Amino acid sequence: MASVSSTSSLGNTSLRGFGGMVSGIERDEIIEQMTLGTTTKINNAKRDITKLEWKQEAYRSVSDKIIGISDDYCSYSSSTSLVDAALFARNQITIHGSDKSSKYVTATGTSDLVGNVSISAVKQLATSSVRQSEKRLDGVLKTTLSDLDKTTARSNLNGTRLTFGVSTGDDKYQTVTFEFPDSYETTEKDDNGNYKKKTIDYTKPGEELAADLTAALKSKNLKIGDIELDEVKFTYDKATDKMKIEIGGENTEHVQIMSSSSALKALGYESTDADKDKTAITVDEFNTSVQNNAKGFSQTAISNPTVLDEITGSKLAFNYNGSQKQIELITKEEADVLKQMKADGKTSAELMEQVKNNVQSRLDTAFGKGNVEASLAADGSLQFTTKDKSSSVSIASGDTYTLQGLGIKSGESSKVNLNGTLGQENLKIDLDKSEYRDGLIINGVKIEGITKDTSISSILSKINASDAGVKATYVDTTGQFMLVSSETGEGREIDLDSELAKAIFGGDEAKGADFTGGQNALIEVSYGNGIKVDMSRSSNTFNLEGLNVTVSGVFGGEWKETTVPDGSGGTTTEKVWESDTSDTVTFTAKADVDGVTERVKKFFEDFNAMVTEVASQIRTRPDSSYAPLTDEQKAEMTETSIENWEKKAKEGILYGDSAMRDLSSDIEGIFVKLMNNGASYEDLKKIGISYSDDYLDGGTLVFDESKFRSAMESEPDLVSNIFTGGGGVTKGLTRVVEETLTPYATRYASRNGNSYGRLVEEAGSTKAPTTVTNNFIYNQIKEMQEKIESLQSKLKTEQDRYIKQFSSMETLISQFNSQSSWLSQISG
């Protein structure tokens, strides 16, 4: 018999005061003995709770396995389900035919005629309807560059940094920096729910620019330690042309501006001799300097270099048919020559001719002679074209101010710039015109959210995301917009129902605008009896006697022009299909033997693991020598000893349990239930399923993998019938198993008379979360815990009473001792 020493639960108490110092009596030990009845009740209640928790754990272990079996193998949504007859079907389709034809056919599914049906020809594929706009091949990539002396406004502020700081002593500062951005995120949302961005125009000083700078800074949520800079404002005074700064908010009175900030000069700040040695300046000092500066903000924040100075040394990324090269427009040496030519009295036109020739030489080197041509337009401005009309040239990227000097944007193209708007040179569609007030309507569907600022790529995306039933694209090679019907087949119309739709996707037929209707697929099918049937289908994927077939190419012959009688004594020429039977495609099918076998094998492993656990629980007798340990007992043991003890103590926790006995009995009847539902014993043996001969196994099922594989290869229908029902089997194995186990545990109470099952009702399950705190054992534990709290309160009352009595006794003894000592002294 196993045993563990039983240390008193009060042997290490913290009773108040000191007992027995006068009397010599072991007060705490006596009190522990006097309260032993109550402490024993507390320990027994704790043991009972532990047993209930173990019992709950054992129940949940079984119920979780039951629910797991239902989830994994009895649910259509599971990837390991065994309830769908299609799993066992001959659905592994193999295509047979010549190399020329078999590559064009794929098939899935099942068919009773799989060995009889064949495709002898695909005469044509199903196609979508297509509407093409006119070709925009005469496009020119235009610039506004015609006068090298023309000045262009350039911001000295954009991209610079303004740093705020707070002194931490010894000329040290805690700082945060704001970089003046190109744009900022506003609080307004677009149609897609995204915050809109606003571009900041630094070349237009005014109140709007001040407001934009304030909003941009606020959007950064800048902080210096705990000080928030959300109330920093830029203010512009039109009368004096001054841009100043205000700082408000809590604890901002010590915020300064660092004198090293690169933005100060652009904002109009001029340092004095007294300021030169300062690390930081106050906001008042900054504003005073700005006010006293003879120059206004328009002069300090904006410079006006000539176009020649702006683009000298700058490069543009030209993209020609996908090939991208960096082209320098004007070298420093060439700029010097141009300045000398001007000094010599040469005209702007002569200067631009020189620029054109210089750029042309570099374009020839980059893309080949004459492929991209630089020329001067009638107004003298520089422009670019391609020798081949099917080609295109575009500006992929470039310095902001270089692009500004040229009067173009990144992405500008000799055809259509997808990043540009409808108003660009190669489209010239002005949405402000009354003819476009109806918007963009295709197939009766209005495409919302299109304005004159919407990019072409965004317009195409909006069409593709709409219910118009088309997909839109732009073909750079031909310079055409295209609408393609989302569905293939005859009768797919693409209607341009507004002037804007016609302007973008229509146009002059002489320039390539066209509509081509979709066509049906024509498939010649043979059923093995010498009869061939022509099928017309709107899609290249179609049902063929249960098979889901997709064709992707023409085979089995060719269309040839043949002279035939015209019915009036003459002849005419028409296309006739000339067959080639060597390209015929046939099909064979087999079941997924490997995949199904592995799935079924795992099912039996999981099922038998659950059955074995149930059998063990109800047949293992508990050993009364192993009771739950108290905290005091655990304190005297090692972790390993505790683990081994509790493992032994948990054995047989559900021995003789009525719910578990009933479950075991029902499991043992599963094999019989299956046969009562039409499955014969011989068929079960044939597919490798039998019942364990050992009655102690509790109803485990024996799975013979070799026999099962053989059955799946030769008789998959028989396997399907036994697992899912059919062919005389009214209920398949998976349904019998689920119906047997559901009364004990289920994830869905609605399937079981609004009950989660006997085991779950008893102990709850994490797989049914609402039952975790709503079950019989939980309620028992809760009652036991309340009982313990009451007993612990009682124990404290008893301890306090006895301590008080012992304290009084100690006081009396002390008094008696004092009197005795006094009497001894006077009698001595």
Side-chain angles (χ1 to χ4, degrees):
M1 177 183 292
S3 65
V4 173
S5 63
S6 181
T7 303
S8 169
S9 63
L10 292 176
N12 192 26
T13 61
S14 56
L15 298 177
R16 274 98 38 222
F18 298 93
M21 294 186 68
V22 177
S23 65
I25 297 173
E26 294 293 336
R27 182 197 67 174
D28 289 358
E29 290 183 9
I30 293 173
I31 292 176
E32 288 168 5
Q33 292 300 317
M34 295 172 74
T35 58
L36 184 58
T38 303
T39 56
T40 299
K41 290 179 181 178
I42 291 173
N43 283 335
N44 287 340
K46 288 182 177 180
R47 285 192 175 98
D48 289 342
I49 287 178
T50 301
K51 285 183 178 180
L52 285 172
E53 290 173 340
W54 289 350
K55 192 173 183 180
Q56 188 178 58
E57 179 185 327
Y59 270 123
R60 288 184 178 180
S61 178
V62 175
S63 64
D64 285 354
K65 285 182 173 64
I66 290 175
I67 294 175
I69 289 171
S70 178
D71 287 348
D72 294 340
Y73 305 107
C74 304
S75 170
Y76 279 97
S77 61
S78 170
S79 61
T80 56
S81 173
L82 294 175
V83 297
D84 190 351
L87 171 69
F88 305 92
R90 289 185 172 93
N91 54 17
Q92 303 292 297
I93 308 299
T94 302
I95 309 297
H96 304 278
S98 67
D99 292 341
K100 179 181 176 182
S101 59
S102 59
K103 65 182 179 181
Y104 292 131
V105 181
T106 61
T108 59
T110 60
S111 173
D112 292 336
L113 296 178
V114 70
N116 303 97
V117 69
S118 61
I119 297 177
S120 50
V122 174
K123 298 179 180 180
Q124 72 179 29
L125 294 175
T127 60
S128 298
S129 296
V130 178
R131 184 173 290 281
Q132 299 165 280
S133 72
E134 65 180 39
K135 296 180 180 180
R136 296 173 171 88
L137 295 176
D138 298 326
V140 179
L141 173 55
K142 290 188 174 183
T143 75
T144 59
L145 178 60
S146 60
D147 183 359
L148 296 175
D149 287 332
K150 181 180 179 180
T151 59
T152 177
R154 177 171 185 171
S155 171
N156 299 326
L157 185 60
N158 187 11
T160 63
R161 297 181 176 185
L162 187 64
T163 302
F164 299 94
V166 173
S167 176
T168 59
D170 298 328
D171 206 28
K172 294 182 180 180
Y173 289 81
Q174 187 176 4
T175 63
V176 66
T177 298
F178 169 67
E179 182 172 339
F180 289 88
D182 295 325
S183 62
Y184 65 94
E185 198 173 76
T186 69
T187 57
E188 184 181 355
K189 292 186 177 181
D190 59 21
D191 295 338
N192 297 320
N194 300 317
Y195 288 105
K196 291 182 178 180
K197 283 191 174 183
K198 183 177 181 183
T199 300
I200 301 175
D201 188 351
Y202 286 90
T203 63
K204 294 181 180 178
E207 294 178 358
E208 183 177 349
L209 175 58
D212 284 341
L213 296 180
T214 300
L217 192 148
K218 187 179 182 66
S219 70
K220 298 297 182 180
N221 297 315
L222 300 181
K223 295 174 68 176
I224 304 176
D226 295 330
I227 302 175
E228 298 181 356
L229 300 182
D230 58 343
E231 292 189 33
V232 175
K233 290 179 61 178
F234 293 89
T235 61
Y236 179 76
D237 185 346
K238 184 177 180 180
T240 60
D241 188 26
K242 303 295 183 182
M243 182 74 77
K244 297 183 180 181
I245 297 176
E246 296 178 3
I247 300 182
E250 296 183 3
N251 304 318
T252 58
E253 62 272 13
H254 299 298
V255 175
Q256 295 179 276
I257 301 172
M258 307 308 294
S259 59
S260 59
S261 294
S262 55
L264 289 177
K265 186 176 180 181
L267 288 167
Y269 173 77
E270 283 188 321
S271 62
T272 62
D273 291 338
D275 296 334
K276 287 182 178 179
D277 295 329
K278 290 184 178 180
T279 304
I281 56 174
T282 66
V283 175
D284 287 341
E285 289 173 331
F286 167 82
N287 288 331
T288 299
S289 176
V290 168
Q291 184 66 40
N292 294 334
N293 193 338
K295 295 180 180 180
F297 178 71
S298 300
Q299 295 173 286
T300 60
I302 302 170
S303 57
N304 296 280
T306 65
V307 174
L308 176 60
D309 291 334
E310 193 68 76
I311 65 177
T312 296
S314 298
K315 294 182 178 181
L316 286 180
F318 280 79
N319 190 316
Y320 171 67
N321 290 345
S323 175
Q324 186 170 302
K325 302 287 185 180
Q326 293 283 341
I327 304 296
E328 190 169 6
L329 294 176
I330 300 174
T331 67
K332 292 181 179 179
E333 293 78 10
E334 290 169 351
D336 292 338
V337 172
L338 290 169
K339 290 176 181 178
Q340 185 59 51
M341 289 176 63
K342 180 184 177 183
D344 293 340
K346 299 295 182 181
T347 65
S348 292
E350 290 174 312
L351 295 179
M352 286 304 301
E353 183 70 23
Q354 181 68 30
V355 171
K356 180 207 72 173
N357 292 336
N358 293 338
V359 172
Q360 184 65 63
S361 66
R362 284 188 278 277
L363 290 171
D364 289 343
T365 301
F367 302 116
K369 189 174 180 65
N371 284 322
V372 178
E373 299 175 350
S375 61
L376 298 179
D379 62 0
S381 60
L382 183 66
Q383 62 184 19
F384 302 95
T385 57
T386 58
K387 181 170 65 176
D388 179 6
K389 288 187 176 182
S390 66
S391 300
S392 65
V393 59
S394 61
I395 301 299
S397 65
D399 174 77
T400 300
Y401 296 107
T402 299
L403 294 173
Q404 183 177 313
L406 293 173
I408 59 176
K409 296 179 180 179
S410 178
E412 208 73 48
S413 173
S414 61
K415 291 183 181 175
V416 173
N417 175 17
L418 296 182
N419 294 321
T421 65
L422 291 170
Q424 63 184 274
E425 179 67 25
N426 291 320
L427 292 175
K428 296 180 179 178
I429 299 175
D430 184 0
L431 290 188
D432 289 333
K433 290 185 177 180
S434 59
E435 62 194 273
Y436 300 130
R437 64 175 176 269
D438 292 335
L440 180 60
I441 306 174
I442 301 171
N443 284 341
V445 176
K446 184 172 183 179
I447 313 302
E448 302 290 350
I450 296 177
T451 69
K452 62 181 181 181
D453 295 321
T454 306
S455 69
I456 302 299
S457 61
S458 293
I459 293 174
L460 299 180
S461 296
K462 289 177 183 293
I463 295 172
N464 294 337
S466 75
D467 296 325
V470 293
K471 297 300 179 185
T473 188
Y474 173 74
V475 182
D476 185 74
T477 303
T478 62
Q480 290 173 292
F481 287 100
M482 283 190 179
L483 293 174
V484 181
S485 62
S486 301
E487 301 291 339
T488 57
E490 297 175 357
R492 305 292 182 184
E493 297 298 325
I494 303 177
D495 297 325
L496 304 178
D497 297 320
S498 68
E499 291 304 315
L500 180 56
K502 293 173 184 176
I504 300 174
F505 297 102
D508 190 346
E509 291 185 4
K511 295 182 179 180
D514 191 22
F515 173 77
T516 304
Q519 66 181 18
N520 285 350
L522 296 179
I523 307 101
E524 187 178 82
V525 178
S526 173
Y527 288 88
N529 54 5
I531 299 176
K532 295 180 180 179
V533 178
D534 279 331
M535 295 170 45
S536 176
R537 296 292 183 267
S538 62
S539 172
N540 293 314
T541 297
F542 51 89
N543 183 279
L544 181 61
E545 305 301 335
L547 294 179
N548 190 43
V549 178
T550 299
V551 294
S552 57
V554 174
F555 63 86
E558 59 181 335
W559 293 100
K560 287 191 174 181
E561 291 190 350
T562 304
T563 301
V564 296
D566 61 4
S568 60
T571 60
T572 186
T573 300
E574 64 180 38
K575 287 186 176 181
V576 176
W577 181 259
E578 187 174 297
S579 297
D580 181 359
T581 56
S582 65
D583 288 339
T584 297
V585 169
T586 60
F587 307 92
T588 58
K590 67 175 183 177
D592 181 12
V593 177
D594 291 340
V596 174
T597 300
E598 285 304 310
R599 191 179 298 189
V600 170
K601 180 181 178 181
K602 186 66 168 60
F603 162 74
F604 281 112
E605 288 174 354
D606 291 349
F607 176 80
N608 287 336
M610 181 271 299
V611 173
T612 300
E613 182 169 343
V614 172
S616 175
Q617 287 287 6
I618 66 172
R619 292 195 173 100
T620 302
R621 292 179 178 273
D623 188 338
S624 60
S625 302
Y626 289 86
L629 297 168
T630 64
D631 293 338
E632 290 74 20
Q633 289 170 333
K634 289 181 180 179
E636 297 180 353
M637 301 170 66
T638 65
E639 289 293 330
T640 302
S641 298
I642 294 171
E643 183 179 339
N644 292 335
W645 180 279
E646 291 190 341
K647 181 179 179 181
K648 184 67 177 176
K650 289 179 182 180
E651 290 180 357
I653 194 70
L654 296 179
Y655 176 74
D657 181 85
S658 60
M660 295 295 287
R661 282 203 314 270
D662 292 344
L663 172 58
S664 180
S665 177
D666 286 342
I667 289 172
E668 289 175 350
I670 284 177
F671 200 77
V672 174
K673 286 181 185 177
L674 183 59
M675 289 191 291
N676 288 340
N677 278 282
S680 73
Y681 181 74
E682 290 303 319
D683 284 345
L684 287 167
K685 283 185 61 178
K686 185 184 293 186
I687 72 168
I689 300 174
S690 58
Y691 192 76
S692 173
D693 294 332
D694 187 350
Y695 76 95
L696 294 177
D697 285 348
T700 57
L701 299 177
V702 179
F703 176 64
D704 188 321
E705 183 177 341
S706 177
K707 287 184 178 180
F708 184 83
R709 283 182 174 276
S710 178
M712 278 296 298
E713 290 172 353
S714 60
E715 298 181 81
D717 292 343
L718 174 62
V719 178
S720 176
N721 291 341
I722 290 175
F723 273 87
T724 67
V729 179
T730 55
K731 291 181 182 179
L733 177 60
T734 49
R735 186 174 174 188
V736 169
V737 168
E738 184 176 32
E739 288 184 354
T740 300
L741 300 180
T742 295
Y744 296 93
T746 177
R747 189 187 292 275
Y748 308 103
S750 58
R751 298 179 182 177
N752 193 43
N754 205 32
S755 168
Y756 288 99
R758 291 175 63 183
L759 303 188
V760 179
E761 299 290 343
E762 184 74 20
S765 171
T766 55
K767 293 182 181 290
T770 59
T771 68
V772 173
T773 58
N774 184 22
N775 59 78
F776 182 69
I777 291 180
Y778 176 85
N779 292 334
Q780 282 185 300
I781 292 175
K782 189 176 180 181
E783 289 177 4
M784 295 297 294
Q785 288 172 335
E786 291 172 353
K787 180 180 178 180
I788 289 173
E789 289 177 3
S790 177
L791 288 170
Q792 287 174 333
S793 177
K794 179 183 177 183
L795 176 61
K796 184 178 183 301
T797 300
E798 291 176 349
Q799 289 175 337
D800 288 346
R801 185 174 69 250
Y802 292 134
I803 289 172
K804 185 176 181 180
Q805 291 173 353
F806 271 99
S807 296
S808 297
M809 183 187 73
E810 289 285 314
T811 300
L812 289 173
I813 293 174
S814 177
Q815 291 174 350
F816 287 141
N817 288 340
S818 296
Q819 290 175 353
S820 176
S821 176
W822 179 74
L823 290 172
S824 296
Q825 289 176 358
I826 62 174
S827 62

